Amino acid sequence: MNTEYRALVEKVDGFTTAVGQRRRADLACRPGCSSCCEVWLTVSPVEAQPLRAALDALPTAARESVAQRGRQERAREARGEAARCAMLEPDGRCAVYEARPLVCRTQGLALQYPPGVVPEAAVRGRTSRGEITYCPLNFTGAQPGAADVLDAERVDQLLAIVSVRYAHAHGLDPAARTSLSDLAADAEP
């Protein structure tokens, strides 16, 4: 994994761990809770690399299962049907959890974006710096405090910088995106 990307992942993971420990009673996120995975995502080359490595490391049967789901989700996406991440196992767990992209690492948490970025229906709070969104199953006992809110715009900016550097270093298109469905479909042994 790229060292800059690894550092960003570690920083985000540190934040999510701290929020999880501090607000455990207010977070519904648990293994198998997968409603935020009902989506098709794309990733930049710097995030695709560790996902490919994680897929390659899966046992053959698991890799074949993920590849089959990838082909199914790619076809469903082409038909405009309801979304579901190809990495999502039937039990609601992620097949590549340790390598999941940043967007997946922060799902459900309180995320702050500039005004107008988050659809109005998803806005759960406002601050002088932006709008806050989080899973409606979380923070039902008490609203997130300032220490519980991740500046998602800043994380996105840092990821963009890391992505461009990675792409340039590897002769890749910095604007390229790869769908998780395609990564899964290509995971055949």
Side-chain angles (χ1 to χ4, degrees), residues 12-13 25 74 132 165 171 184:
V12 168
D13 283 353
R74 189 166 48 196
I132 299 172
R165 288 180 181 167

Side-chain angles (χ1 to χ4, degrees), residues 48-72:
Q49 184 270 327
L51 286 165
R52 283 188 184 99
L55 289 165
D56 289 346
L58 291 175
T60 302
R63 199 166 52 249
E64 288 172 351
S65 179
V66 170
Q68 176 61 31
R69 286 195 307 272
R71 289 188 297 274
Q72 289 171 340

Side-chain angles (χ1 to χ4, degrees), residues 130-162:
E131 297 171 335
I132 299 172
T133 186
Y134 50 86
C135 175
L137 300 176
N138 291 338
F139 303 107
T140 57
Q143 295 293 307
D148 303 321
V149 179
L150 179 66
D151 185 343
E153 179 184 30
R154 183 69 178 141
V155 172
D156 290 347
Q157 290 169 343
L158 291 170
L159 178 58
I161 291 167
V162 169

